[in-house]
């Protein structure tokens, strides 16, 4: 059956609706007429073009159904998505860098250092000339800005008074970080309606051209929403975030909390797992990668943070990947390897 309807929007929609009522594989639709319909082709002397259009009609297939033999054109096109390496070698060995169109979730217990890791990553990307969007829902933009400046100075903000950091030094740090125009922040504190959040992220991606966007953290997004349970709200928000990542091609770094385990707590160095992600399984399902951060806050090596890859859609390699050490005098996280620390983490 060959359907030769009008070549306008209404005609194309009617042809598709009609094709769906007939046996699959038995219908072809004419889509290449030089005029609006068959009658116009005849009256304008374009009969040959009409005949070619009818005999050249393609079989109707629902959108998204593609035979394997037609995929070569997609495969053969050069892939313009480049990986940006992580600042820590261990993560690159498993995750092979950061790519656009991916959603990375950072998770850990309370006070373990998720935000510190996120800020260090943001500073690293800015220093590489990448445009970064940063949404920190539990701190002011002043605090975020000062932490980024502190990373550049190797001097955390809480030590500025005791180390006599001058206004000129602060200005120098500001110009080297925020002054490069590589950072966009969102002036907000506390919970935010997910729809408004999605719009802000979309604006950062499209209007401000941010390629990497940080959201710290997920739980507070839905914390004040009335009606409905937390799981369903997080399910909905994660689905919207995942769709936005696909739509804009950004790399989204999402900070998420863990629920308390039955055994050793995360604050005492307990091992992280996907099953402990707080609120919804959608966080694990819709993330391309999940990194768990582990640290014993009261232990002898309480400045060392083990990073464990819990999910890796890109390469499938998981497990303990590296150990970061926090220097209280500089406020910086640097890569540190020690087999005994990794053994304590359970590997």
């Amino acid at each position: 059956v060959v359907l030769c309807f009008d070549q306008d929007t209404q005609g194309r929609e009617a042809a598709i609706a009609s094709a769906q009522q007939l046996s699959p594989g038995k219908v072809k639709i004419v889509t290449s007429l030089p005029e609006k319909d068959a009658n116009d082709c005849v009256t304008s002397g374009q009969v040959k073009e009409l005949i070619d259009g009818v005999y050249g009609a393609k079989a109707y297939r629902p959108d998204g159904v593609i035979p394997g033999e037609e995929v070569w054109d997609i495969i053969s096109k050069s892939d313009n998505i480049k990986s940006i390496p992580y600042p820590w070698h261990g993560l690159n060995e498993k995750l092979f860098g950061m790519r656009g169109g991916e959603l990375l979730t950072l998770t850990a217990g309370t006070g373990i250092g998720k935000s510190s890791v996120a800020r260090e990553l943001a500073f690293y990307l800015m220093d590489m000339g990448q445009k970064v969007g940063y949404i920190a829902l539990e701190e002011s933009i002043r605090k975020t800005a000062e932490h980024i400046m502190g990373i550049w100075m190797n001097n955390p903000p809480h030590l500025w008074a005791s180390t006599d950091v001058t206004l000129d030094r602060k200005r120098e740090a500001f110009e080297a970080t925020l002054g490069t125009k590589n950072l966009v922040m969102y002036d907000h504190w506390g919970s935010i309606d997910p729809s408004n959040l999605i719009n802000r992220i979309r604006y950062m991606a499209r209007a401000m051209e941010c390629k990497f966007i940080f959201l710290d953290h997920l739980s507070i997004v839905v914390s004040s929403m009335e009606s409905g349970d937390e799981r369903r709200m997080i399910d909905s928000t994660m689905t919207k975030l995942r769709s936005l990542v696909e739509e804009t091609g950004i790399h989204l770094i999402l900070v998420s909390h863990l629920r308390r385990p039955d055994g050793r707590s995360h604050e005492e160095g307990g091992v992280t797992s996907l099953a402990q992600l707080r609120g919804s399984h959608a966080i694990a399902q819709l993330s391309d990668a999940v990194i768990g951060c582990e640290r014993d806050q009261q232990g002898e090596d309480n400045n060392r943070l083990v990073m464990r890859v819990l999910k890796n859609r890109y390469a499938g390699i998981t497990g303990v990947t590296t150990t970061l050490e926090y220097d209280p005098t500089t406020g910086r996280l640097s890569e540190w390897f020690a087999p005994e620390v990794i053994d304590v983490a359970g590997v």
Side-chain angles (χ1 to χ4, degrees):
V1 178
V2 179
L3 302 178
C4 187
F5 289 3
D6 289 358
Q7 302 294 287
D8 55 14
T9 301
Q10 292 81 2
R12 287 191 292 270
E13 291 177 352
I16 292 174
S18 299
Q20 291 174 345
Q21 305 304 313
L22 301 173
S23 299
K26 297 293 183 66
V27 182
K28 295 183 178 182
I29 298 178
V30 178
T31 59
S32 59
L33 295 186
E35 302 290 342
K36 178 184 177 182
D37 56 28
N39 183 66
D40 288 347
C41 290
V42 174
T43 57
S44 63
Q46 300 185 79
V47 176
K48 180 180 182 302
E49 287 78 3
L50 170 60
I51 294 173
D52 289 344
V54 171
Y55 280 93
K58 295 183 178 180
Y60 165 73
R61 285 201 310 263
D63 291 341
V65 178
I66 303 175
E69 64 269 18
E70 295 183 13
V71 178
W72 175 247
D73 288 340
I74 300 174
I75 296 174
S76 61
K77 290 180 180 177
S78 59
D79 190 353
N80 294 322
I81 301 177
K82 296 181 180 179
S83 292
I84 302 294
Y86 284 94
W88 306 301
H89 177 70
L91 284 180
N92 291 317
E93 285 191 331
K94 283 184 167 59
L95 296 174
F96 297 90
M98 299 172 277
R99 290 157 292 277
E102 292 187 351
L103 195 163
L104 166 70
T105 295
L106 287 173
T107 189
T110 302
I112 299 300
K114 301 182 295 296
S115 296
S116 295
V117 172
R119 293 191 203 103
E120 191 80 40
L121 274 176
F123 171 79
Y124 165 79
L125 290 166
M126 292 166 56
D127 194 48
M128 292 185 67
Q130 298 293 326
K131 193 73 172 285
V132 173
Y134 206 98
I135 302 174
L137 298 178
E138 282 191 321
E139 64 184 28
S140 66
I141 60 171
R142 175 174 180 168
K143 184 175 181 180
T144 301
E146 288 181 342
H147 276 293
I148 296 294
M149 292 162 58
I151 292 174
W152 183 85
M153 289 191 287
N154 288 323
N155 191 351
H158 67 271
L159 295 181
W160 287 358
S162 61
T163 53
D164 297 323
V165 175
T166 64
L167 187 61
D168 288 341
R169 180 61 172 166
K170 292 179 183 178
R171 183 68 188 187
E172 184 183 5
F174 175 85
E175 293 296 341
T177 53
L178 284 78
T180 62
K181 300 181 180 180
N182 285 335
L183 181 65
V184 178
M185 293 179 288
Y186 179 39
D187 189 8
H188 181 81
W189 191 93
S191 61
I192 178 176
D193 179 80
S195 297
N196 290 335
L197 174 67
I198 297 299
N199 289 335
R200 301 304 186 276
I201 297 176
R202 180 179 286 110
Y203 184 84
M204 285 183 172
R206 296 205 176 278
M208 306 299 290
E209 298 182 337
C210 295
K211 301 301 182 184
F212 294 83
I213 297 180
F214 291 75
L215 174 57
D216 185 3
H217 58 85
L218 178 63
S219 297
I220 202 169
V221 175
V222 298
S223 62
S224 70
M225 293 180 65
E226 298 179 358
S227 72
D229 58 59
E230 183 183 40
R231 182 187 62 78
R232 290 187 178 182
M233 290 184 288
I234 291 180
D235 282 351
S236 175
T237 302
M238 282 298 300
T239 300
K240 292 176 181 177
L241 288 172
R242 176 77 251 180
S243 298
L244 186 61
V245 167
E246 297 292 339
E247 172 194 333
T248 59
I250 61 172
H251 185 93
L252 179 64
I253 298 93
L254 176 69
V255 176
S256 180
H257 285 178
L258 293 169
R259 61 178 175 80
R260 294 189 177 278
D262 294 331
R264 187 180 182 186
S265 72
H266 298 116
E267 292 73 28
E268 295 174 330
V271 174
T272 57
S273 73
L274 289 178
Q276 295 166 352
L277 283 164
R278 176 181 165 185
S280 168
H281 292 300
I283 302 172
Q285 292 168 351
L286 298 177
S287 296
D288 291 284
V290 180
I291 299 175
C293 302
E294 302 164 4
R295 179 170 71 92
D296 186 351
Q297 294 176 334
Q298 305 303 320
E300 293 182 4
D301 296 320
N302 62 356
N303 286 326
R304 290 172 186 163
L305 182 149
V306 175
M307 303 193 80
R308 185 186 301 272
V309 175
L310 303 176
K311 180 180 179 181
N312 182 354
R313 181 173 287 150
Y314 183 76
I317 310 170
T318 57
V320 171
T321 179
T322 191
T323 300
L324 304 182
E325 186 170 42
Y326 176 76
D327 186 339
T329 62
T330 65
R332 301 299 302 273
L333 286 166
S334 58
E335 197 160 26
W336 180 91
F337 297 91
E340 64 271 17
V341 173
I342 295 179
D343 287 342
V344 169
V347 173

